[in-house]
Amino acid sequence: MLYIIGLGLGDEKDITIRGLEAIRSCTNVYMEAYTSLLSFGLSSNGLSNLESLYGKSIILADREMVEEKSDDILSEAHHSHVAFLVVGDPFGATTHTDLVVRAKKLGIDVKIVHNVSVMNAIGICGLQLYRYGETVSIPFFTDTWRPDSFYEKIQTNRNMGLHTLCLLDIRVKEPTLESLARGRKIYEPPRYMTINTAIEQLLEIEQARQESAYGEDTECVGFARLGSEDQMIVAGTMKQLQTIDFGAPLHCLVITGKTHPLEEEMLDFYRCRT
């Protein structure tokens, strides 16, 4: 059996009872370590907290292991129970869907244990989940690569009065271009996009496109460390949110569409007063 188990967003205690029972039945336990992170990160202390509560040793699975060596994980699942742990919900990233498809094609039984993810936890700000349009990802710009494919999606959502969840880039164990050219991988330090950087890039694209999809005065909601004890939620204009220090990752941003009076009442609790 291959178990794919959601861990939630906060810390090791967010595991469900069903998920905990599944982990304890497994021979090997892997934890995906590149599409997200728990609020306490993946430091030695954080990992030891997980292992202590779950009663199992955990193997950190980076992008290379999951995308290039997943055959080893699937091979183990042929003859024993294997757990693959995912921050948030198992289907919050397409990589995990690919793992399920490959396992099923090999005749391996797969069991999914769901948990909370950013896709529903954002409901805490009061914006109603059924009034969201397509979610977009905002990648880090480089000197030579400044993609803007998300712009049309935000524009379409706002034209329909819908809110837009913007997932912000995470760069973990990314090889440098120089090292790839030399055939020996050297990795960049981890980087997690902030709300401030995301807004700066969004406004740069708007300045270039001049199509009024949004602007400095567009209302947004910024979230940091969603689901943790020290989560931070601030509603305000893009210009206002740019001045706020949201602290440690992970961050995400919602660009609001047309709001209902009840949504406005809830947003007032988080409104930036500066």
Side-chain angles (χ1 to χ4, degrees):
M1 176 78 72
L2 173 64
Y3 289 96
I4 303 185
I5 301 168
L7 297 182
L9 297 174
D11 58 27
E12 72 277 6
K13 296 176 185 176
D14 280 358
I15 186 75
T16 64
I17 293 174
R18 188 184 302 277
L20 187 57
E21 289 174 345
I23 288 171
R24 290 176 175 171
S25 74
C26 290
T27 303
N28 285 331
V29 179
Y30 295 87
M31 181 170 178
E32 181 264 290
Y34 61 90
T35 62
S36 191
L37 76 164
L38 293 173
S39 62
F40 56 79
L42 290 175
S43 63
S44 57
N45 286 341
L47 190 58
S48 112
N49 288 344
L50 289 170
E51 292 178 328
S52 176
L53 178 62
Y54 302 165
K56 289 284 184 178
S57 295
I58 296 174
I59 304 163
L60 288 183
D62 60 21
R63 184 185 298 273
E64 287 179 10
M65 177 181 286
V66 176
E67 295 184 350
E68 298 174 15
K69 300 177 182 178
S70 58
D71 287 345
D72 296 339
I73 299 173
L74 296 176
S75 177
E76 292 170 7
H78 262 302
H79 54 77
S80 63
H81 290 343
V82 174
F84 187 76
L85 311 184
V86 178
V87 177
D89 185 79
F91 293 114
T94 54
T95 298
H96 312 133
T97 306
D98 179 66
L99 193 62
V100 172
V101 169
R102 293 182 61 192
K104 286 182 175 292
K105 286 183 176 178
L106 291 170
I108 298 168
D109 288 333
V110 180
K111 186 166 285 188
I112 307 298
V113 182
H114 292 286
N115 209 319
V116 67
S117 78
V118 65
M119 305 296 284
N120 57 1
I122 52 171
I124 190 173
C125 73
L127 295 175
Q128 296 161 2
L129 294 178
Y130 64 85
R131 294 188 57 79
Y132 278 78
E134 186 173 354
T135 297
V136 302
S137 296
I138 311 295
F140 278 113
F141 286 175
T142 70
D143 291 339
T144 58
W145 189 62
R146 304 179 101 67
D148 62 358
S149 59
F150 51 80
Y151 184 88
E152 285 87 358
K153 296 174 183 179
I154 297 171
Q155 188 176 48
T156 298
N157 288 345
R158 284 178 55 77
N159 285 344
M160 293 191 293
L162 302 176
H163 315 309
T164 306
L165 170 61
C166 302
L167 300 176
L168 310 188
D169 203 1
I170 298 172
R171 308 278 293 179
V172 179
K173 205 172 180 183
E174 296 285 342
T176 64
L177 293 176
E178 294 84 358
S179 72
L180 288 175
R182 294 172 184 169
R184 182 183 174 189
K185 289 183 180 177
I186 298 174
Y187 299 102
E188 299 175 354
R191 297 171 66 202
Y192 305 96
M193 184 180 288
T194 64
I195 289 163
N196 317 76
T197 298
I199 292 174
E200 179 184 333
Q201 293 187 179
L202 284 163
L203 291 175
E204 178 183 320
I205 294 300
E206 176 56 55
Q207 181 66 29
R209 299 283 293 259
Q210 294 285 310
E211 296 176 32
S212 301
Y214 50 79
E216 283 190 341
D217 295 327
T218 299
E219 292 287 331
C220 297
V221 186
F223 301 82
R225 300 169 302 284
L226 190 57
S228 67
E229 289 294 326
D230 68 340
Q231 69 180 8
M232 185 174 177
I233 304 167
V234 183
T237 65
M238 285 190 172
K239 186 175 183 179
Q240 288 174 320
L241 296 190
Q242 266 193 307
T243 68
I244 294 171
D245 180 2
F246 283 87
L250 291 174
H251 296 184
C252 66
L253 178 73
V254 170
I255 301 173
T256 62
K258 184 177 181 181
T259 51
H260 183 276
L262 184 58
E263 292 178 303
E264 286 291 336
E265 281 191 71
M266 273 292 287
L267 284 177
D268 278 342
F269 291 113
Y270 303 106
R271 192 79 63 188
C272 176
R273 304 300 176 189
T274 59

